[in-house]
Amino acid sequence: ASLQAMQDIGYMFAVHTQQLMSKDTYIKATGSWGDVLRQEYGDASRINVTPFDLIVDYDVVVKDGSTAVGGDTEGWIEIFRIMSQQPQMYQNFDMVRIFKHIARIMGAKDINEFILQQGPVPPVKVTTSSQENIENQTQQGNMVPIEQYGGGQIA
């Protein structure tokens, strides 16, 4: 019952906001979510919003907190698993943002509270090498077989 009421009220508020906007406005995200959004999407401190930018049927997601965020979590987890095992995929996609998205649709309220606060982690440079070079480097002690770390499987 709560969700049914919230859906109607949320939709009404969004339509009225769009309809009654007399001029463009700038919005600014503040607080911890402002920091999170700037970190994920770049520093756009002020964003111009027009009535035409609000597409109520697509942009408004009304929730009352009693249901999960939604989305196909099992599908996203499988996509993440596949991407994490394919160098071409994890080199071209932001795996951290994908992981955060999965956590959010699974209901995590603030996934960022779990991030270590030790400064930015430099990106890992992934390269390919010949089997012969890998064997030589392993014998010299410069490389360790991945089997020692869970067999290369994602838990």
Side-chain angles (χ1 to χ4, degrees):
S2 172
L3 184 57
Q4 290 174 339
M6 295 298 287
Q7 184 69 37
D8 292 341
I9 291 170
Y11 188 83
M12 181 186 73
F13 286 162
V15 169
H16 285 179
T17 299
Q18 181 184 39
Q19 178 183 2
L20 300 175
M21 277 181 74
S22 59
K23 59 183 177 180
D24 297 359
T25 187
Y26 283 89
I27 61 167
K28 180 177 182 179
T30 60
S32 62
W33 274 110
D35 296 337
V36 169
L37 293 172
R38 273 189 291 285
Q39 186 178 16
E40 278 194 45
Y41 299 105
D43 189 20
S45 59
R46 292 172 31 111
I47 302 169
N48 185 39
V49 178
T50 71
F52 301 108
D53 292 329
L54 302 174
I55 305 172
V56 176
D57 290 324
Y58 296 101
D59 292 338
V60 176
V61 178
V62 179
K63 300 206 49 59
D64 70 342
S66 67
T67 59
V69 176
D72 181 9
T73 56
E74 290 159 7
W76 273 105
I77 290 170
E78 186 60 27
I79 289 170
F80 187 81
R81 183 174 288 123
I82 292 167
M83 290 176 76
S84 65
Q85 296 173 354
Q86 301 296 322
Q88 185 177 12
M89 298 299 283
Y90 62 71
Q91 289 174 357
N92 290 300
F93 286 90
D94 189 338
M95 297 298 286
V96 174
R97 284 184 59 198
I98 294 170
F99 179 82
K100 287 180 179 182
H101 175 73
I102 294 168
R104 286 181 192 128
I105 64 174
M106 290 180 76
K109 299 292 183 209
D110 187 5
I111 189 67
N112 294 301
E113 69 185 35
F114 299 104
I115 295 176
L116 296 174
Q117 300 299 318
Q118 59 187 359
V121 177
V124 176
K125 183 175 181 185
V126 179
T127 60
T128 58
S129 187
S130 68
Q131 186 66 31
E132 180 181 331
N133 185 34
I134 292 172
E135 290 171 3
N136 289 338
Q137 293 293 320
T138 303
Q139 289 173 355
Q140 293 175 9
N142 297 330
M143 291 184 176
V144 179
I146 198 165
E147 289 81 18
Q148 291 180 6
Y149 298 100
Q153 300 296 316
I154 295 179

